[in-house]
């Protein structure tokens, strides 16, 4: 019998970090006094300055959301034709390409990191390829130096989807310092957020100027438009939330690190459950805790574990499943064939993101780990009863 009763309240895969309410009122008072709610106001400018310092860059701009930032980045880089990307990502990555009339070319992933397999990129380059759009999946950096070298050899642009990689460093170098542009998402589910929002970090000031113009309808100083832009502006209220949360983000990451290491210990010897390990030379940010479930060794599939955890009030996410290459809108592409993406298809069937956020306690993690262990034990007993 599973003697663990589960949780009386639902435990969700994540829960937003909230700013102090009194401090939020004070910020609102400042905004009310300024009578400026949007259009590159003081809060947005302050947030951009503070984020640039925090993320170690000179060229950072904020946007209405990460998807919109990616769309603007594609236009800023003048991309056309085909863009090599990963199928193991959130829908927004491939969708942003499609909205720019670009064809995603899906590249298989590495089993160890879930990131695009840099060694397979070159074989997918054609005379239509203009860029590579890798994703730092679950905050783990891609093989940035290898990718940048491939891009230089073939004269391609590199746009990193760093939606999960806020604050990550590679050998002390900020993850946003690679490629031409890196996008960060500030959606409420992210470790740092502005309710909705996003940012781009640019290789140089020219790219930043162009993106800032596109973010504001493409309007030039004389209010004429050369290139049709869009409305990608973040507003003052959301920027204020960001300014307040930036003070909390290091504590949030520290608590997530603690809980991640606890999960690793609690689940270390559960047959059929694989946990990620700390990567060398990486300053990680712990945005998700993703396990892999081997149905043969664990006894039940990932989907069945997901359903059983629901009965304990534990809400996980099958992150990322299904693959973008299996969405109806992309399934017909030649690169979407399962033969081209064996590792991505295998990984997508086995991954499960467990609850992880800074409001959780050690006992929450121990309880979730204990339930996953007991489901396995119970299952083994049931199997023994059937066969003996
Ligand atoms: C990998 C990835 N790319 C892009 C996005 C889109 O970001 P946003 O929700 O801010 O539009 C997300 C959102 O969660 C994401 O996970």
């Amino acid at each position: 019998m599973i003697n663990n009763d589960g949780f009386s309240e639902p435990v969700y895969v994540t829960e937003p970090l909230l700013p102090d309410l009194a401090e939020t009122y004070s910020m609102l008072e400042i905004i009310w006094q300024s009578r400026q709610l949007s259009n590159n106001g003081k809060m947005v400018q302050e947030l951009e300055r503070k984020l640039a310092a925090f993320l170690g860059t000179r060229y950072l701009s904020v946007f209405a959301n990460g998807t919109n930032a990616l769309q603007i980045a594609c236009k800023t880089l003048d991309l056309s034709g085909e863009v090599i990307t990963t199928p193991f990502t959130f829908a927004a990555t491939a969708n942003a390409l499609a909205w720019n009339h670009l064809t995603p070319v899906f590249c298989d992933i590495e089993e160890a990191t879930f990131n695009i397999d840099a060694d397979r990129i070159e074989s997918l380059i054609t005379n239509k390829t203009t860029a590579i759009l890798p994703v730092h999946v679950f905050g783990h950096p891609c093989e940035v130096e290898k990718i940048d070298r491939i891009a230089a050899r073939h004269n391609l642009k590199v746009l990193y989807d760093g939606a999960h990689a806020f604050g990550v460093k590679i050998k002390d170098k900020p993850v946003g310092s690679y490629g031409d542009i890196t996008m960060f998402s500030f959606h409420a589910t992210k470790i740092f957020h502005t309710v909705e929002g996003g940012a781009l970090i640019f290789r140089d000031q020219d790219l930043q100027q162009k993106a800032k113009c596109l973010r504001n309808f493409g309007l030039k100083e004389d209010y004429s438009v050369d290139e049709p832009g869009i409305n990608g502006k973040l507003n003052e209220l959301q920027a204020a939330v960001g300014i307040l949360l930036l003070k909390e983000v290091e504590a949030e990451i520290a608590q997530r690190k603690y809980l991640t290491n606890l999960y690793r210990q609690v689940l270390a010897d559960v047959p059929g459950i694989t946990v990620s390990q700390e990567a060398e030379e990486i300053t990680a940010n712990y945005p998700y805790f993703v396990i892999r479930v081997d149905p043969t060794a664990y006894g039940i599939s990932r989907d069945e574990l997901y359903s059983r955890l629901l009965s304990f009030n534990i809400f996980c996410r099958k992150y990322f499943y299904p693959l973008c290459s299996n969405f109806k809108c992309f399934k017909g592409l030649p690169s979407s064939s399962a033969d081209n993406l064996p590792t991505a298809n295998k990984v997508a069937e086995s991954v499960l993101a467990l609850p992880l956020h800074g409001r959780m306690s050690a006992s929450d993690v121990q309880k979730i780990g204990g339930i996953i262990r007991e489901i396995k034990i119970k299952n083994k007993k049931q199997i023994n009863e059937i066969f003996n």
Side-chain angles (χ1 to χ4, degrees):
M1 270 292 284
I2 291 180
N3 53 18
N4 219 324
D5 291 335
F7 291 86
S8 54
E9 296 290 322
V11 182
Y12 294 109
V13 73
T14 192
E15 205 183 281
L17 178 62
L18 289 170
D20 178 81
L21 208 46
E23 283 192 285
T24 309
Y25 284 135
S26 305
M27 292 297 254
L28 290 180
E29 269 170 18
I30 298 171
I31 295 170
W32 261 234
Q33 276 160 17
S34 80
R35 295 172 186 275
Q36 181 169 8
L37 300 181
S38 191
N39 288 3
N40 203 25
K42 285 205 173 72
M43 291 290 172
V44 160
Q45 289 178 34
E46 183 180 336
L47 178 65
E48 286 182 336
R49 268 196 313 277
K50 289 194 160 145
L51 281 172
F54 188 90
L55 296 174
T57 177
R58 289 173 65 190
Y59 310 115
L60 177 144
S61 300
V62 295
F63 293 82
N65 56 63
T67 307
N68 158 278
L70 267 185
Q71 290 170 322
I72 291 174
C74 292
K75 274 237 180 290
T76 304
L77 293 171
D78 262 329
L79 304 187
S80 62
E82 297 174 357
V83 175
I84 297 170
T85 190
T86 171
F88 190 75
T89 181
F90 186 60
T93 315
N95 287 355
L97 295 176
W99 273 70
N100 275 287
H101 305 289
L102 298 162
T103 306
V105 174
F106 294 114
C107 179
D108 207 4
I109 62 169
E110 298 171 337
E111 187 146 8
T113 63
F114 309 153
N115 282 333
I116 194 165
D117 184 345
D119 291 332
R120 289 171 178 267
I121 291 175
E122 269 185 310
S123 67
L124 299 170
I125 296 174
T126 71
N127 57 9
K128 293 189 186 134
T129 312
T130 56
I132 310 168
L133 169 47
V135 179
H136 300 304
V137 175
F138 307 140
H140 186 86
C142 298
E143 290 217 61
V144 285
E145 281 170 11
K146 211 182 251 183
I147 291 170
D148 284 1
R149 274 199 303 273
I150 294 169
R153 249 196 320 272
H154 297 271
N155 197 21
L156 303 175
K157 300 285 195 308
V158 184
L159 165 57
Y160 283 106
D161 178 336
H164 304 168
F166 186 84
V168 169
K169 290 184 186 153
I170 308 166
K171 294 184 198 160
D172 281 336
K173 205 171 156 187
V175 75
S177 41
Y178 295 88
D180 295 285
I181 301 183
T182 299
M183 180 277 277
F184 296 95
S185 164
F186 299 158
H187 182 255
T189 54
K190 302 295 187 282
I191 52 170
F192 166 80
H193 72 88
T194 54
V195 187
E196 294 273 0
L200 295 176
I201 287 183
F202 305 90
R203 174 171 39 79
D204 59 40
Q205 198 175 16
D206 289 349
L207 288 175
Q208 182 179 33
Q209 285 312 326
K210 186 168 173 192
K212 280 173 81 171
C213 181
L214 290 168
R215 164 178 90 171
N216 191 31
F217 312 99
L219 288 170
K220 297 196 302 177
E221 269 176 24
D222 63 0
Y223 296 103
S224 67
V225 171
D226 290 347
E227 194 161 359
I230 197 166
N231 183 353
K233 290 171 279 135
L234 190 71
N235 64 57
E236 291 291 279
L237 282 75
Q238 287 175 250
V241 170
I243 291 167
L244 294 176
L245 289 183
L246 200 51
K247 297 188 292 181
E248 313 293 331
V249 72
E250 274 166 340
E252 174 73 14
I253 292 174
Q255 175 68 358
R256 284 164 177 257
K257 179 176 182 173
Y258 167 65
L259 297 174
T260 296
N261 285 326
L262 204 56
Y263 262 133
R264 285 174 176 150
Q265 282 166 28
V266 178
L267 294 170
D269 56 354
V270 180
I273 300 293
T274 311
V275 298
S276 67
Q277 296 305 329
E278 199 74 15
E280 275 175 35
E281 300 185 314
I282 304 295
T283 309
N285 66 349
Y286 312 94
Y288 301 94
F289 187 77
V290 178
I291 60 168
R292 287 187 70 188
V293 183
D294 171 357
T296 313
Y298 186 64
I300 57 172
S301 68
R302 181 274 312 271
D303 288 353
E304 204 174 335
L305 175 59
Y306 170 85
S307 304
R308 291 223 199 161
L309 289 173
L310 281 181
S311 69
F312 290 92
N313 240 346
I314 302 167
F315 290 72
C316 299
R317 277 285 299 272
K318 298 175 196 175
Y319 219 28
F320 292 109
Y321 171 86
L323 295 176
C324 291
S325 48
N326 290 331
F327 292 162
K328 192 175 165 195
C329 50
F330 299 123
K331 216 174 160 43
L333 295 171
S335 66
S336 294
S337 89
D339 292 349
N340 183 46
L341 307 166
T343 308
N345 276 282
K346 187 166 83 174
V347 168
E349 291 296 328
S350 67
V351 278
L352 192 63
L354 304 184
L356 178 69
H357 56 79
R359 268 62 54 218
M360 285 173 70
S361 66
S363 67
D364 293 332
V365 167
Q366 270 151 349
K367 191 163 173 169
I368 295 169
I371 289 170
I372 293 173
R373 178 184 297 274
E374 285 191 51
I375 288 173
K376 158 74 187 161
I377 293 165
K378 185 186 177 203
N379 200 61
K380 197 169 154 201
K381 277 196 206 136
Q382 283 174 338
I383 291 168
N384 285 345
E385 277 164 23
I386 295 166
F387 289 102
N388 294 323

